[in-house]
Amino acid sequence: MKLCGSNVIEVFYSKHGDPLEIYPRFCFDESMVLSPAAPCLNKGVSLLEQLEKNPESSVCFLRTYALGDILLLTPIINWIRDKYPSVKVYLATVPKFMGLFKYWDAIETVDKRNLPFIPYEIGYYLDGVVERDHSGNEYSYKHRLDIYCEFLGIPQIKDPMFSLPYGEIEKSWAEGIVRELRDCGKPVVAVQVAGSTAIKSLSLDKVANISERLCDICSLIFVHEAKEYFGEINAMNLTGMTDIHQLAALIDSVDVVVTMDSGVLWIAHATKTPVIAMLGPTREAERLKYHRNYVAVNLSEMVGCEPCFERMTRCKGAINCMKSSSAEEIATRIEEGIKKLVYS
């Protein structure tokens, strides 16, 4: 870890040739840049060192993409609030995520473009940090929360608490929808219809085939940030119709969430909703280690492969885990999972 000792924004270049803007007093992963020996760089300061030195610090985390990886910071923020209650925490991000924590007083979210006007003492550049798990080395066997903790130099959090609060309006709206569906006498299940990337997603046709089976045993709600269409399937289609807090309230209200590797998986960590996770290129241990009530459907195993963390080393880009896995077998595993999570 290196600390930017400059008084101005310094621009470095990543090993892929992309420019990285490092703000004053920000620590970052030196292995990400081509010139880690620049004169403006000093030895990094771990978060634990900073908090022990000044228990009333103001700390800024910068993370600009991936909903799930931003939510993975919430156990760290809760840990700070528990151990160092006088610390001020900022999250610097992009406009898309500015309202994410509007119901949570543990953190102040700021536009990264306004960082020069934010009174932080030290910052941590977190874009790219948890993506170490794509490397194929020991990081591919670590949970992303543990990777964050290691980078920040804090202890591994034994019983992490994820957070995504929502308001009374969202709560009332979600409970009303679920109450209406429960009148049918079946469990209410939310289905996230796509993963966070194409490599982690089943085709919509396969999702539709699986869902037709599930309609026999539960009431379904389709969710996704973009609008999708599913023809005559007997399900409530809310894709493209919810904001993040409505989605969190909905996930908190249903009996089970069925999802691929996506932000919805991490929302379910925050709401503690039982999860059935369809995982292809990612592993159960690295995605579900800190969820206490889940069933994992291992799609790689179905096709005789193993999780590659999106490197596609064995399938050479064919993504067999997502494309060749059997919809019938997946539906059977999900049905078994619903029975286990709801009735046992």
Side-chain angles (χ1 to χ4, degrees):
M1 181 193 290
K2 291 289 188 180
L3 171 69
C4 180
S6 174
N7 292 322
V8 297
I9 298 171
E10 297 286 348
V11 178
F12 296 86
Y13 286 90
S14 74
K15 294 180 179 179
H16 303 292
D18 302 316
L20 298 179
E21 292 184 342
I22 305 297
Y23 287 79
R25 306 182 308 285
F26 258 78
C27 295
F28 66 100
D29 181 357
E30 62 194 276
S31 69
M32 294 170 56
V33 302
L34 293 174
S35 53
C40 65
L41 298 182
N42 303 316
K43 180 183 177 183
V45 178
S46 76
L47 178 59
L48 188 60
E49 287 179 88
Q50 177 67 26
L51 299 181
E52 288 292 318
K53 181 176 70 174
N54 181 8
E56 297 183 351
S57 295
S58 55
V59 176
C60 185
F61 298 128
L62 186 149
R63 179 79 195 194
T64 62
Y65 57 90
L67 171 63
D69 295 325
I70 293 175
L71 292 179
L72 274 161
L73 289 171
T74 63
I76 295 170
I77 295 163
N78 281 315
W79 176 84
I80 293 172
R81 185 162 65 169
D82 179 55
K83 303 291 185 183
Y84 305 92
S86 297
V87 169
K88 173 73 174 180
V89 181
Y90 296 98
L91 170 67
T93 190
V94 293
K96 177 180 179 180
F97 298 115
M98 283 294 295
L100 184 60
F101 297 120
K102 67 180 183 179
Y103 292 111
W104 198 29
D105 62 4
I107 189 170
E108 182 175 339
T109 307
V110 299
D111 192 315
K112 66 169 285 192
R113 294 170 295 186
N114 292 329
L115 268 177
F117 310 104
I118 303 303
Y120 64 89
E121 292 177 44
I122 194 165
Y124 295 90
Y125 185 93
L126 300 178
D127 281 355
V129 168
V130 292
E131 285 76 11
R132 292 176 180 181
D133 65 6
H134 293 173
S135 62
N137 58 23
E138 71 274 12
Y139 286 106
S140 292
Y141 297 88
K142 292 185 178 182
H143 194 282
R144 285 192 162 186
L145 174 58
D146 298 339
I147 295 175
Y148 269 143
C149 290
E150 179 180 315
F151 174 74
L152 293 168
I154 64 173
Q156 183 174 315
I157 301 171
K158 293 182 179 179
D159 190 17
M161 183 171 68
F162 294 79
S163 296
L164 181 57
Y166 51 84
E168 287 298 320
I169 292 175
E170 292 90 352
K171 181 176 187 287
S172 177
W173 170 82
E175 289 179 348
I177 287 175
V178 172
R179 189 183 309 114
E180 181 179 335
L181 292 175
R182 280 215 175 95
D183 289 343
C184 300
K186 300 177 182 178
V188 180
V189 175
V191 178
Q192 166 71 350
V193 302
S196 58
T197 64
I199 297 172
K200 300 176 184 177
S201 299
L202 299 172
S203 70
L204 291 179
D205 286 342
K206 186 175 286 188
V207 172
N209 291 336
I210 293 167
S211 299
E212 284 184 316
R213 278 268 306 269
L214 298 182
C215 285
D216 293 336
I217 66 166
C218 57
S219 297
L220 295 185
I221 304 173
F222 291 138
V223 296
H224 188 47
E225 63 180 350
K227 186 66 180 176
E228 303 291 353
Y229 297 91
F230 291 92
E232 301 301 318
I233 295 177
N234 184 23
M236 180 177 288
N237 188 352
L238 295 182
T239 60
M241 298 175 65
T242 59
D243 64 29
I244 189 65
H245 299 101
Q246 289 173 323
L247 181 58
L250 191 66
I251 289 172
D252 201 7
S253 299
V254 300
D255 297 301
V256 177
V257 175
V258 175
T259 182
M260 289 156 256
D261 190 349
S262 69
V264 164
L265 177 63
W266 302 108
I267 294 174
H269 277 69
T271 60
K272 298 182 174 62
T273 305
V275 167
I276 298 173
M278 298 175 285
L279 302 177
T282 48
R283 290 187 184 87
E284 174 182 342
E286 287 77 52
R287 289 298 183 268
L288 293 160
K289 173 182 176 180
Y290 293 119
H291 198 293
R292 297 291 179 257
N293 199 12
Y294 72 86
V295 169
V297 180
N298 187 334
L299 306 181
S300 293
E301 185 180 75
M302 286 185 188
V303 297
C305 197
E306 61 184 27
C308 64
F309 282 84
E310 302 179 69
R311 290 177 292 118
M312 298 177 285
T313 47
R314 294 185 64 180
C315 70
K316 308 301 181 185
I319 323 176
N320 293 327
C321 54
M322 309 309 292
K323 293 183 177 180
S324 300
S325 50
S326 162
E328 285 298 310
E329 185 175 356
I330 295 170
T332 298
R333 300 271 190 95
I334 293 173
E335 287 175 342
E336 292 169 352
I338 291 171
K339 291 173 183 176
K340 174 184 175 182
L341 295 173
V342 174
Y343 299 114
S344 64

PDB file of all heavy atoms in Angstrom, residues 192-203:
ATOM      1  N   GLN A 192     -34.150 -12.832  -9.248  1.00  0.00           N
ATOM      2  CA  GLN A 192     -33.304 -11.886  -9.981  1.00  0.00           C
ATOM      3  C   GLN A 192     -32.984 -12.525 -11.324  1.00  0.00           C
ATOM      4  O   GLN A 192     -32.393 -13.603 -11.389  1.00  0.00           O
ATOM      5  CB  GLN A 192     -32.027 -11.598  -9.193  1.00  0.00           C
ATOM      6  CG  GLN A 192     -30.920 -10.915  -9.969  1.00  0.00           C
ATOM      7  CD  GLN A 192     -31.212  -9.465 -10.297  1.00  0.00           C
ATOM      8  OE1 GLN A 192     -32.312  -8.990 -10.115  1.00  0.00           O
ATOM      9  NE2 GLN A 192     -30.217  -8.757 -10.794  1.00  0.00           N
ATOM     10  N   VAL A 193     -33.370 -11.887 -12.426  1.00  0.00           N
ATOM     11  CA  VAL A 193     -33.365 -12.567 -13.724  1.00  0.00           C
ATOM     12  C   VAL A 193     -32.031 -12.495 -14.455  1.00  0.00           C
ATOM     13  O   VAL A 193     -31.886 -13.056 -15.546  1.00  0.00           O
ATOM     14  CB  VAL A 193     -34.491 -12.019 -14.635  1.00  0.00           C
ATOM     15  CG1 VAL A 193     -35.841 -12.183 -13.962  1.00  0.00           C
ATOM     16  CG2 VAL A 193     -34.241 -10.560 -15.019  1.00  0.00           C
ATOM     17  N   ALA A 194     -31.027 -11.828 -13.877  1.00  0.00           N
ATOM     18  CA  ALA A 194     -29.711 -11.762 -14.521  1.00  0.00           C
ATOM     19  C   ALA A 194     -28.641 -11.545 -13.468  1.00  0.00           C
ATOM     20  O   ALA A 194     -28.910 -11.014 -12.387  1.00  0.00           O
ATOM     21  CB  ALA A 194     -29.657 -10.638 -15.555  1.00  0.00           C
ATOM     22  N   GLY A 195     -27.415 -11.953 -13.787  1.00  0.00           N
ATOM     23  CA  GLY A 195     -26.288 -11.693 -12.907  1.00  0.00           C
ATOM     24  C   GLY A 195     -25.724 -10.311 -13.155  1.00  0.00           C
ATOM     25  O   GLY A 195     -26.210  -9.555 -14.003  1.00  0.00           O
ATOM     26  N   SER A 196     -24.665  -9.984 -12.432  1.00  0.00           N
ATOM     27  CA  SER A 196     -24.084  -8.645 -12.546  1.00  0.00           C
ATOM     28  C   SER A 196     -23.329  -8.446 -13.853  1.00  0.00           C
ATOM     29  O   SER A 196     -23.096  -7.311 -14.271  1.00  0.00           O
ATOM     30  CB  SER A 196     -23.152  -8.377 -11.361  1.00  0.00           C
ATOM     31  OG  SER A 196     -22.127  -9.353 -11.300  1.00  0.00           O
ATOM     32  N   THR A 197     -22.925  -9.542 -14.501  1.00  0.00           N
ATOM     33  CA  THR A 197     -22.280  -9.470 -15.817  1.00  0.00           C
ATOM     34  C   THR A 197     -22.833 -10.596 -16.676  1.00  0.00           C
ATOM     35  O   THR A 197     -23.451 -11.544 -16.167  1.00  0.00           O
ATOM     36  CB  THR A 197     -20.749  -9.623 -15.719  1.00  0.00           C
ATOM     37  OG1 THR A 197     -20.444 -10.937 -15.229  1.00  0.00           O
ATOM     38  CG2 THR A 197     -20.138  -8.579 -14.793  1.00  0.00           C
ATOM     39  N   ALA A 198     -22.583 -10.521 -17.978  1.00  0.00           N
ATOM     40  CA  ALA A 198     -23.067 -11.563 -18.884  1.00  0.00           C
ATOM     41  C   ALA A 198     -22.479 -12.921 -18.530  1.00  0.00           C
ATOM     42  O   ALA A 198     -23.141 -13.962 -18.666  1.00  0.00           O
ATOM     43  CB  ALA A 198     -22.720 -11.194 -20.325  1.00  0.00           C
ATOM     44  N   ILE A 199     -21.246 -12.929 -18.047  1.00  0.00           N
ATOM     45  CA  ILE A 199     -20.580 -14.188 -17.710  1.00  0.00           C
ATOM     46  C   ILE A 199     -21.251 -14.868 -16.519  1.00  0.00           C
ATOM     47  O   ILE A 199     -21.148 -16.083 -16.354  1.00  0.00           O
ATOM     48  CB  ILE A 199     -19.088 -13.926 -17.419  1.00  0.00           C
ATOM     49  CG1 ILE A 199     -18.406 -13.385 -18.674  1.00  0.00           C
ATOM     50  CG2 ILE A 199     -18.371 -15.180 -16.952  1.00  0.00           C
ATOM     51  CD1 ILE A 199     -16.983 -12.926 -18.440  1.00  0.00           C
ATOM     52  N   LYS A 200     -21.954 -14.106 -15.700  1.00  0.00           N
ATOM     53  CA  LYS A 200     -22.616 -14.664 -14.517  1.00  0.00           C
ATOM     54  C   LYS A 200     -24.120 -14.845 -14.725  1.00  0.00           C
ATOM     55  O   LYS A 200     -24.844 -15.095 -13.760  1.00  0.00           O
ATOM     56  CB  LYS A 200     -22.391 -13.741 -13.320  1.00  0.00           C
ATOM     57  CG  LYS A 200     -20.938 -13.538 -12.941  1.00  0.00           C
ATOM     58  CD  LYS A 200     -20.833 -12.523 -11.813  1.00  0.00           C
ATOM     59  CE  LYS A 200     -19.397 -12.210 -11.460  1.00  0.00           C
ATOM     60  NZ  LYS A 200     -19.298 -11.171 -10.414  1.00  0.00           N
ATOM     61  N   SER A 201     -24.592 -14.705 -15.965  1.00  0.00           N
ATOM     62  CA  SER A 201     -26.031 -14.696 -16.228  1.00  0.00           C
ATOM     63  C   SER A 201     -26.485 -15.902 -17.036  1.00  0.00           C
ATOM     64  O   SER A 201     -25.830 -16.297 -18.008  1.00  0.00           O
ATOM     65  CB  SER A 201     -26.416 -13.423 -16.994  1.00  0.00           C
ATOM     66  OG  SER A 201     -26.122 -12.265 -16.251  1.00  0.00           O
ATOM     67  N   LEU A 202     -27.619 -16.465 -16.646  1.00  0.00           N
ATOM     68  CA  LEU A 202     -28.321 -17.423 -17.486  1.00  0.00           C
ATOM     69  C   LEU A 202     -29.075 -16.659 -18.564  1.00  0.00           C
ATOM     70  O   LEU A 202     -29.398 -15.480 -18.394  1.00  0.00           O
ATOM     71  CB  LEU A 202     -29.308 -18.238 -16.651  1.00  0.00           C
ATOM     72  CG  LEU A 202     -28.732 -19.088 -15.512  1.00  0.00           C
ATOM     73  CD1 LEU A 202     -29.868 -19.678 -14.681  1.00  0.00           C
ATOM     74  CD2 LEU A 202     -27.830 -20.184 -16.039  1.00  0.00           C
ATOM     75  N   SER A 203     -29.372 -17.315 -19.664  1.00  0.00           N
ATOM     76  CA  SER A 203     -30.180 -16.665 -20.694  1.00  0.00           C
ATOM     77  C   SER A 203     -31.591 -16.438 -20.163  1.00  0.00           C
ATOM     78  O   SER A 203     -32.068 -17.166 -19.278  1.00  0.00           O
ATOM     79  CB  SER A 203     -30.234 -17.525 -21.954  1.00  0.00           C
ATOM     80  OG  SER A 203     -31.013 -18.689 -21.715  1.00  0.00           O
TER      81      SER A 203
END
